Amino acid sequence: MGLQVPNLSGASLRRTLRVALLGVTMLVLAGCSEADTHQIRNLAMPDRASEQGPYTYELWKWAWVAAMVTGVIVWGLIFYAVVKFRRRSDDEVPRQTRYNLPLEVFYTIAPVLMCVVFFFHTVRVQDVVTEIGTEPDVTVEVMGQQWTWTFNYGVGEQNPDAVGDFVDGEPDFAYEDYVYTVGDGNEIPTLVLPVDQRIQFNLHSPDVIHNFGVPSFLTRMDVIPGRVNKLQVTPTVEGTYAGKCYELCGVYHSRMLFNVEVVSQEDYQAYLEELEAAGQTAAEPLLGGSDATTQTGLGESQSQEGSQE
């Protein structure tokens, strides 16, 4: 005796599928707040606040489109097989098919073509968001250390040809004088940037690999000991944003947060003057060594790795 299964007609099956789809849709929509709707519209991406951001977003959006097209094809084939080759009687034995050459050629070639297209557009977007060819308007020396950030702002005339590091023991930085702000175990530092200016971040680490990123800029880069990675970003929207380390860098990795304030050029200059008036000045940027000390807020038994007491 064969397996007993319900004998659904085509019309009955279609009605069942429509009712199920309607129910799922109503359930999903009922749970969507305004914030959820905004997230859905952004495909779970933050609002773009930099000139480079839309390139990353477009790549992400079309990846979703490709995934949905793939899903529709797969679901279509599944439902087609379910309806077309369903058992119509208890004694029926379906015709056995060993292979389907057109289908096998399709599901072999299609994924390869998709990978080629994804690779091409990913490299294209990567080239845009990591481009360093344009002369920056402002250069900021960033130090990521276990477990906080130090931001060094240049004062005076900028030298765009500087490498942002020591060359043969001699400093080769974009400015002759700096002001700085640094976080600790009690305070999250704030990075202040002028709007509509191309900012170059020279990224330094005295200990382990970190990763400097601002979600709303839709770009980030590793901070690697022994080398200076450079990232250029043009903020386009004034406001307050969150920044963080994207690389697991030790026990207190969760402390590696920072805030970003994108302000007008006038407010940016006023902020540099505030730091100078507070005595937070240096002839060279603070990039580690004796500057990478145990953070305030950590006990003696919790001293950070890689720091100097």
Side-chain angles (χ1 to χ4, degrees), residues 45 48 64 83 115 118 125 130 143 147 173-175 185-186 195-197 225 232 260 263-264 268 275 302:
M45 287 288 244
R48 279 74 67 197
W64 268 93
V83 175
C115 289
F118 274 131
V125 171
T130 61
M143 182 181 73
W147 284 274
F173 297 101
Y175 301 91
N186 292 325
V195 70
D196 294 328
Q197 299 289 299
Q232 290 189 356
V260 180
V263 299
S264 65
Y268 176 72
L275 293 179
Q302 300 171 306

Side-chain angles (χ1 to χ4, degrees), residues 120-171:
F120 171 80
H121 288 289
T122 299
V123 171
R124 180 180 61 84
V125 171
Q126 179 178 281
D127 288 343
V128 171
V129 300
T130 61
E131 181 185 7
I132 302 296
T134 305
E135 182 176 310
D137 299 303
V138 175
T139 299
V140 179
E141 304 290 338
V142 176
M143 182 181 73
Q145 67 187 82
Q146 294 176 315
W147 284 274
T148 190
W149 298 91
T150 300
F151 303 117
N152 300 274
Y153 308 91
V155 178
E157 194 72 22
Q158 177 182 222
N159 175 17
D161 297 324
V163 299
D165 202 357
F166 289 89
V167 179
D168 297 328
E170 296 296 324

Side-chain angles (χ1 to χ4, degrees), residues 148-217:
T148 190
W149 298 91
T150 300
F151 303 117
N152 300 274
Y153 308 91
V155 178
E157 194 72 22
Q158 177 182 222
N159 175 17
D161 297 324
V163 299
D165 202 357
F166 289 89
V167 179
D168 297 328
E170 296 296 324
D172 187 14
F173 297 101
Y175 301 91
E176 294 186 359
D177 296 291
Y178 284 86
V179 294
Y180 64 87
T181 183
V182 59
D184 57 35
N186 292 325
E187 182 178 355
I188 297 175
T190 297
L191 173 63
V192 178
L193 303 173
V195 70
D196 294 328
Q197 299 289 299
R198 192 171 183 92
I199 315 296
Q200 177 166 309
F201 301 102
N202 293 338
L203 307 175
H204 310 260
S205 171
D207 38 53
V208 300
I209 297 176
H210 302 282
N211 187 288
F212 173 84
V214 180
S216 293
F217 291 170

Side-chain angles (χ1 to χ4, degrees), residues 27-289:
L27 181 63
V28 171
L29 293 178
C32 289
S33 64
E34 182 178 349
D36 294 330
T37 303
H38 184 72
Q39 281 290 300
I40 292 172
R41 187 165 56 248
N42 274 3
L43 299 176
M45 287 288 244
D47 292 330
R48 279 74 67 197
S50 72
E51 187 178 286
Q52 293 75 20
Y55 293 94
T56 303
Y57 176 75
E58 287 298 312
L59 179 64
W60 176 250
K61 180 180 73 175
W62 287 107
W64 268 93
V65 172
M68 290 300 297
V69 170
T70 302
V72 168
I73 292 173
V74 173
W75 297 330
L77 291 173
I78 290 174
F79 289 127
Y80 171 78
V82 168
V83 175
K84 177 69 175 177
F85 303 107
R86 71 187 186 279
R87 177 178 289 180
R88 292 175 173 80
S89 68
D90 295 341
D91 300 326
E92 179 183 8
V93 177
R95 181 170 65 88
Q96 303 301 300
T97 302
R98 295 184 180 276
Y99 59 86
N100 185 307
L101 186 59
L103 185 60
E104 291 183 8
V105 170
F106 171 76
Y107 68 59
T108 299
I109 293 179
V112 172
L113 293 178
M114 289 181 64
C115 289
V116 170
V117 173
F118 274 131
F119 179 81
F120 171 80
H121 288 289
T122 299
V123 171
R124 180 180 61 84
V125 171
Q126 179 178 281
D127 288 343
V128 171
V129 300
T130 61
E131 181 185 7
I132 302 296
T134 305
E135 182 176 310
D137 299 303
V138 175
T139 299
V140 179
E141 304 290 338
V142 176
M143 182 181 73
Q145 67 187 82
Q146 294 176 315
W147 284 274
T148 190
W149 298 91
T150 300
F151 303 117
N152 300 274
Y153 308 91
V155 178
E157 194 72 22
Q158 177 182 222
N159 175 17
D161 297 324
V163 299
D165 202 357
F166 289 89
V167 179
D168 297 328
E170 296 296 324
D172 187 14
F173 297 101
Y175 301 91
E176 294 186 359
D177 296 291
Y178 284 86
V179 294
Y180 64 87
T181 183
V182 59
D184 57 35
N186 292 325
E187 182 178 355
I188 297 175
T190 297
L191 173 63
V192 178
L193 303 173
V195 70
D196 294 328
Q197 299 289 299
R198 192 171 183 92
I199 315 296
Q200 177 166 309
F201 301 102
N202 293 338
L203 307 175
H204 310 260
S205 171
D207 38 53
V208 300
I209 297 176
H210 302 282
N211 187 288
F212 173 84
V214 180
S216 293
F217 291 170
L218 298 188
T219 183
R220 56 191 175 90
M221 182 167 286
D222 279 343
V223 186
I224 301 177
R227 63 177 295 173
V228 180
N229 279 346
K230 299 180 180 181
L231 177 68
Q232 290 189 356
V233 177
T234 305
T236 55
V237 182
E238 293 187 27
T240 301
Y241 307 98
K244 56 185 175 181
C245 174
Y246 283 85
E247 189 78 37
L248 182 59
C249 55
V251 177
Y252 294 101
H253 164 71
S254 60
R255 290 175 177 263
M256 294 210 59
L257 306 174
F258 61 94
N259 297 316
V260 180
E261 293 280 353
V262 179
V263 299
S264 65
Q265 183 66 36
E266 293 76 15
D267 289 341
Y268 176 72
Q269 291 299 329
Y271 176 72
L272 299 189
E273 292 172 4
E274 288 179 11
L275 293 179
E276 187 173 7
Q280 296 174 227
T281 62
E284 298 171 2
L286 279 60
L287 300 178

